Amino acid sequence: MFTSQTSSFQDSIDVEERDDFDSEEITGYIQKTQLNSYYTIYLYQGTRSEAAAENAAWNQRRADSTTSLDDFSLTLIDSSLPSEAEPELRTYISRRLSKGALLGGMGNIATVELSIPEQAVGCYCCLVEQERSPEQPDVDGNGYVICFMGGSEKWLNLFRLELDKYVQGLHSSLQTPELLNLESEVRPYLSRWYEESVMHIHRVVQLVQNNISFLLHAALSHTLVEVNNSDERTKTDVSRFIKAASLQGLSQQDTTTASLCKAISEDTQSDLIIDCSTSPPTLSNAVSNRFCDDWSQAFLNAAERCNPFLLRQILENFKLKAIQDMNSLKRLVRQAEMSHYALFRSCRFLQGCGNGDVLLQNARAEHSDMPEACSIITVLEEFLRDQSQAHA
C-alpha cells in the first residue's frame, strides 16, 4: 500500500514529465530569466451606436490603426507589441469578434501567431462593454478589447481567474474613447499585468523559501495567516497564495466549510505569523506535516527556475492530491463503521499519507452530524497521537 501511495505522490509532483507541460516549453523557459509579456487595448464600437457617429472624427484621425467591418470598428488605443505585430493581432481580434467568439466580461484564451520573437504566444483577450443607454438597450454599444500576451495558451489558462479579475480592476478607468488618463492610469496598469496576475505565487515562494511548507499547511488547515512589518503588496501576495492553495469551494460544500472554520475558531490553534523584518522572514506558530514538507521541494525547484506557470501547475496538483486523499479517507471511514479491517486500513492510510492531521480535521467537520463516523474519527485521532508520541 505504501508503495502505491509513494508512486501516486511522485506522479503528482513530477509535472514536467506529464502532458500538462511540453518539455520544449519548459526548456525554453529555463533559458530565459524573464518571459516577454505584451499588452494591447482597442476601442470597440458598434456601427449602429450613437457614440460611434459622435466619435467618427476621432476615428478618422486614427484611420491607420482602425479596422472597420459591417457591424463594428476596432481602433488601437495603446500597445506594447512591436509595430509589425499589432496589425496581425487586430486582424485576429476582428475575426473573433465577427464570429461572436468574444462575449462581454468573459476572458478568452487562445494561441496567436505574431511577428515577435516567440512567434506563437498565448493570448488572453476580454471585451469590456460600456453600460448601454436605458432608452436604447438593443443598440450595439461600445467597449474596449483588452489583450494580454505571454507564455503559452495552456500556461495562461492556469491564471484565467486572476486575469479576469485584473481586467475588472480597470473598468472604472475606461471612461471616454480618447482615454485622457491613458498615460497616468491605463498604460501603467496594463503594463503590470504579468507582475500582478502571474508572479504573486513566485514572489511568495521566494519570500519564505524553505518555510513554504508552513504556508501550505496553513492553507489546507484553514489557519489564519498574519503578515507583519511588510508592504501592502507582500500582504496581498501572501493572502492570494493562501487562497489559491486552500481547498475551500473544491472538496466541501459551504456548510461544511463553515463548520470547519467554526471548529478551528473554537480550537487552540494559533494564527501563523510571518515577520518580514528579517530576511528570510521569521515564522511563529508554524505547523507542517510530512505531506507539505515533501511538496515544498517541488515549489522551491520551480521557483529557482523562475517559472511561475510551473509553480501554479504544482500548486494545482498539490490540491488535487489532497482532495484525492480526503475522498479516500471518507470512503474508509464509512466502511470502518461496519468493518474492523476497514478501520485498520484507515490507520495505515493515515500513517502513510503524511497528511493525517489535515484530513481528520476536515473529516470531523464534514461528519459533525454523524455520531458513528465521529466515533471512528476519534479513534483515528487517538491513533495518530500515539504514533506521534512514539516517534517523539
Side-chain angles (χ1 to χ4, degrees):
M1 183 174 184
F2 291 134
T3 302
S4 62
Q5 284 183 352
T6 302
S7 176
S8 176
F9 169 76
Q10 195 62 41
D11 290 343
S12 299
I13 289 184
D14 292 340
V15 295
E16 298 172 34
E17 304 299 327
R18 301 171 52 192
D19 292 337
D20 302 279
F21 289 95
D22 186 271
S23 59
E24 292 183 1
E25 285 183 293
I26 293 179
T27 302
Y29 197 109
I30 293 173
Q31 293 172 352
K32 304 175 185 179
T33 57
Q34 177 66 44
L35 176 78
N36 291 327
S37 60
Y38 312 90
Y39 72 85
T40 301
I41 180 170
Y42 296 102
L43 173 65
Y44 167 83
Q45 292 180 301
T47 55
R48 289 184 293 144
S49 68
E50 293 181 359
E54 293 172 359
N55 294 303
W58 184 77
N59 284 340
Q60 187 61 37
R61 293 196 302 268
R62 303 177 67 92
D64 293 341
S65 303
T66 300
T67 299
S68 298
L69 299 177
D70 292 340
D71 297 328
F72 66 89
S73 65
L74 200 63
T75 303
L76 173 66
I77 295 178
D78 194 36
S79 178
S80 64
L81 281 170
S83 57
E84 62 272 18
E86 186 280 318
E88 299 169 345
L89 177 65
R90 191 170 358 124
T91 299
Y92 166 78
I93 298 298
S94 299
R95 202 162 52 236
R96 301 287 290 177
L97 286 168
S98 63
K99 294 179 180 180
L102 287 184
L103 302 178
M106 297 180 61
N108 182 282
I109 298 176
T111 300
V112 296
E113 294 187 2
L114 304 173
S115 298
I116 54 177
E118 298 84 354
Q119 294 184 335
V121 66
C123 175
Y124 167 94
C125 53
C126 183
L127 172 60
V128 180
E129 294 180 314
Q130 292 182 327
E131 294 184 4
R132 300 189 181 187
S133 169
E135 292 78 16
Q136 296 178 304
D138 297 328
V139 174
D140 291 345
N142 295 335
Y144 299 88
V145 177
I146 298 173
C147 304
F148 298 137
M149 290 139 288
S152 68
E153 177 182 347
K154 54 189 171 185
W155 285 6
L156 285 185
N157 265 307
L158 295 171
F159 292 90
R160 179 186 293 271
L161 294 179
E162 284 87 350
L163 294 171
D164 284 342
K165 186 174 182 180
Y166 197 70
V167 168
Q168 292 172 7
L170 188 62
H171 197 280
S172 61
S173 300
L174 304 177
Q175 301 296 334
T176 63
E178 295 85 351
L179 284 186
L180 300 178
N181 59 346
L182 174 63
E183 293 188 6
S184 61
E185 295 181 37
V186 177
R187 181 179 295 156
Y189 189 91
L190 292 174
S191 64
R192 294 195 304 269
W193 76 267
Y194 180 75
E195 284 294 316
E196 298 299 329
S197 300
V198 175
M199 289 297 292
H200 56 286
I201 295 176
H202 181 266
R203 286 196 295 269
V204 171
V205 177
Q206 290 287 79
L207 174 71
V208 299
Q209 300 178 26
N210 292 324
N211 291 325
I212 190 64
S213 61
F214 300 120
L215 269 68
L216 295 172
H217 189 274
L220 291 182
S221 61
H222 300 264
T223 301
L224 296 178
V225 178
E226 178 182 339
V227 182
N228 297 329
N229 300 313
S230 72
D231 54 26
E232 287 302 317
R233 186 191 201 185
T234 299
K235 292 179 180 179
T236 301
D237 283 347
V238 172
S239 176
R240 293 172 67 189
F241 179 90
I242 294 296
K243 184 177 180 180
S246 74
L247 305 182
Q248 187 168 346
L250 296 178
S251 64
Q252 305 168 353
Q253 297 181 355
D254 293 340
T255 53
T256 304
T257 302
S259 300
L260 179 58
C261 293
K262 180 180 179 182
I264 293 174
S265 65
E266 294 172 352
D267 198 1
T268 57
Q269 186 171 354
S270 301
D271 297 351
L272 173 62
I273 300 175
I274 304 176
D275 183 1
C276 295
S277 61
T278 61
S279 181
T282 303
L283 276 64
S284 303
N285 305 322
V287 178
S288 185
N289 57 26
R290 179 159 47 85
F291 179 79
C292 296
D293 290 343
D294 289 342
W295 276 91
S296 64
Q297 191 57 52
F299 283 89
L300 293 173
N301 291 342
E304 186 176 349
R305 297 174 179 178
C306 299
N307 191 331
F309 300 103
L310 182 57
L311 267 174
R312 183 53 177 262
Q313 185 64 63
I314 291 172
L315 185 63
E316 295 302 320
N317 288 0
F318 166 78
K319 295 194 295 182
L320 177 61
K321 179 58 177 170
I323 291 173
Q324 290 172 342
D325 287 350
M326 286 181 183
N327 291 334
S328 296
L329 180 61
K330 277 197 294 187
R331 288 194 298 270
L332 288 170
V333 168
R334 286 196 299 267
Q335 295 169 6
E337 295 176 14
M338 299 174 289
S339 167
H340 288 295
Y341 178 66
L343 179 60
F344 169 75
R345 289 176 58 208
S346 301
C347 293
R348 296 283 288 177
F349 172 76
L350 290 173
Q351 187 178 24
C353 73
N355 199 25
D357 57 332
V358 170
L359 299 185
L360 288 175
Q361 183 187 67
N362 282 272
R364 179 168 290 282
E366 191 164 352
H367 297 87
S368 58
D369 57 347
M370 303 169 64
E372 292 185 5
C374 284
S375 64
I376 296 296
I377 293 171
T378 298
V379 171
L380 295 175
E381 288 172 338
E382 292 174 353
F383 169 77
L384 278 189
R385 278 197 297 270
D386 292 343
Q387 289 290 313
S388 178
Q389 292 174 359
H391 286 91

